Amino acid sequence: MTGTEQHDVGTGEGFEGWGAAVERSFPPLRLALPRAGAFHGRIRSAGHDRFRVWDISASPHLVERSRNQVSDSLGQYFKLSFQLSGTGLVRQNGRELLLRPGDITLYDTSRPYSILFEEDFRFVVAMFPRDALQFRLRDVEALSAVRLDGTQGVGALLSGFLRGLPTGLAGLPPAAVSRVSHAALELTASLIDAHLGEEESSREVLRRRIHAHVEENLHDPALSPASIAAAHYLSLRSLHALFEDEDFTVAAWIRHRRLEHCREDLCDPALAHLPVSEVASRWGMPDAAQFSKAFRRAYGTTPTAWRAAATSRSTTSAPPPRDKTAPAPAPSMG
C-alpha cells in the first residue's frame, strides 16, 4: 500500500492474538514464549511499500526467522531496529549482539535471524528493500547484528527521527511520506558511512553523484547510460566499469527505479484519475506496451491489475498475488 497507515493492535486475546498481529505486519516469523505467564503487546505502524516503520512494545518472547521461511518468501528487505527500553539479543551471520536502550542495528530478512527479548521491551523497527541503500550489499551485510550508536552524532539524529516516525507519518499525503522516508534512508546511509570509519573514495563519491543524477532525471525518456556518461565527462566504458561491482547495470538501474516509482504511483489514491500510460510517461516510459511488459516481468502482474488490487486492499499492505504464469523477477546484474 502506498500512502500512510497507523493502527494499534490490542492483545487481550493473549499470545495467539499477538502472533496474528505480527503475521499481518511482517514477512513470516516464528514466535515463542520463553516462559508461561500473561502476555501484553502493542504494534503501531505507518509508511508505504518501500519504507514502513513500527513502534512495538511487548512482554518477553522469542522471534525467529528460519531458513525455510527465508526460502519461501518473496522480496528481500533490511530491518533497522532502535531499542527504546528493555533488551534484545540479536543473532545473525554467526554474530550475537545484546541491544540496550539507545542501540541501533541492521539485520537482513533474506537470511535467518533471531531476537530474544527476556524482559518487557519497546523498540522501533523500520523495514525497506535491500536496494534502497545504495551501498554494495557486502558492505551492508557486514553490519548485520552489529551495534550502531544511536546516542551521538548521526546516530542520535537517526534515532530521534525513528522515534517520531510511527506517529509522525500518520495522516501525511503519499508524496510527503515518500520524502520523509527518503530522509530516513539518507540518515541510515550516513550512519553506515560513519560506522565503516572510511571516507568515501573519489570512485564512491562519483557513484553517489550518478545515483542522484539518475533520480533527478527519471522523468526524461532520454536518460540513458550515454547521457549519464556525457553529463559526468566519462566514456561509456568508464561508466560501466564504475558500476561493475553493483547489483544492477546502469541501464537496469534506470529501469528499476522508473518501475518502482510507477508502482508507487499506481497505488496512490491521489493519482487514481491518471491513466496507466500517463503514470508511466511521467517517469520516462512513454511506450505503453514496453512499460506493461517490463512491469509484468519485474512484478509478475500487469500495471492495471496491480492498481486494481491496491485499490481493493483496505486492511493490509501485502502486495497482490503474483501471476503464476509470469517469470520471477530477474534484474540484470552488473
Side-chain angles (χ1 to χ4, degrees):
M1 175 185 293
T2 299
T4 62
E5 174 184 72
Q6 184 169 319
H7 59 270
D8 291 299
V9 179
T11 54
E13 64 270 39
F15 193 61
E16 183 177 341
W18 180 253
V22 170
E23 183 178 359
R24 289 194 296 269
S25 298
F26 295 103
L29 297 167
R30 186 184 79 85
L31 307 182
L33 285 172
R35 55 185 178 271
F39 187 89
H40 62 86
R42 186 186 71 174
I43 299 178
R44 177 176 296 166
S45 74
H48 59 63
D49 283 348
R50 283 191 60 82
F51 185 88
R52 195 151 199 90
V53 62
W54 292 262
D55 184 336
I56 301 174
S57 57
S59 300
H61 66 285
L62 172 68
V63 178
E64 286 186 327
R65 184 158 167 81
S66 69
R67 196 170 301 280
N68 287 340
Q69 288 170 325
V70 168
S71 63
D72 290 343
S73 297
L74 293 173
Q76 297 183 342
Y77 298 88
F78 285 124
K79 287 183 178 179
L80 183 75
S81 292
F82 170 48
Q83 196 76 18
L84 291 170
S85 65
T87 61
L89 183 64
V90 181
R91 293 187 176 96
Q92 187 171 56
N93 293 342
R95 290 190 288 271
E96 187 175 283
L97 170 68
L98 182 63
L99 284 174
R100 295 183 172 88
D103 290 345
I104 297 173
T105 197
L106 196 70
Y107 43 103
D108 183 353
T109 68
S110 69
R111 299 185 179 195
Y113 68 84
S114 68
I115 310 177
L116 175 61
F117 301 102
E118 293 193 292
E119 57 185 311
D120 286 3
F121 70 93
R122 181 184 172 200
F123 76 145
V124 174
V125 58
M127 188 169 75
F128 45 86
R130 287 163 59 106
D131 62 37
L133 288 181
Q134 295 170 0
F135 284 84
R136 289 169 298 181
L137 285 179
R138 63 175 176 268
D139 290 337
V140 182
E141 288 165 353
L143 292 178
S144 64
V146 169
R147 178 181 178 271
L148 303 174
D149 189 354
T151 64
Q152 59 184 349
V154 177
L157 291 174
L158 177 59
S159 60
F161 203 67
L162 289 174
R163 185 192 294 265
L165 284 180
T167 53
L169 287 178
L172 293 180
V177 172
S178 294
R179 288 193 291 269
V180 172
S181 301
H182 179 73
L185 290 170
E186 284 298 305
L187 282 172
T188 300
S190 297
L191 181 60
I192 291 172
D193 273 338
H195 186 85
L196 291 174
E198 300 174 354
E199 292 192 10
E200 290 181 313
S201 66
S202 58
R203 178 184 177 91
E204 289 297 323
V205 170
L206 183 55
R207 282 204 288 203
R208 291 289 194 93
R209 189 178 301 146
I210 290 171
H211 275 301
H213 176 86
V214 168
E215 288 297 316
E216 292 167 4
N217 291 278
L218 289 172
H219 64 280
D220 183 357
L223 181 68
S224 67
S227 71
I228 294 169
H232 293 84
Y233 306 99
L234 297 170
S235 68
L236 262 178
R237 177 176 294 182
S238 296
L239 176 67
H240 289 305
L242 187 65
F243 286 84
E244 63 187 357
D245 58 350
E246 298 250 327
D247 290 328
F248 292 89
T249 64
V250 179
W253 178 251
I254 294 170
R255 181 173 60 251
H256 171 72
R257 294 302 297 143
R258 281 174 167 159
L259 289 171
E260 284 291 287
H261 281 291
C262 289
R263 183 172 70 151
E264 290 186 12
D265 283 0
L266 288 170
C267 294
D268 189 343
L271 301 177
H273 64 286
L274 294 180
V276 169
S277 59
E278 188 169 340
V279 170
S281 185
R282 280 159 50 98
W283 291 107
M285 304 184 80
D287 188 314
Q290 286 187 6
F291 167 67
S292 183
K293 183 178 179 181
F295 192 98
R296 187 171 183 270
R297 185 184 299 118
Y299 304 120
T301 189
T302 66
T304 301
W306 177 272
R307 171 179 265 180
T311 301
S312 69
R313 295 195 307 273
S314 59
T315 59
T316 178
S317 60
R322 285 187 58 82
D323 179 345
K324 299 300 184 182
T325 66
S332 300
M333 305 299 288

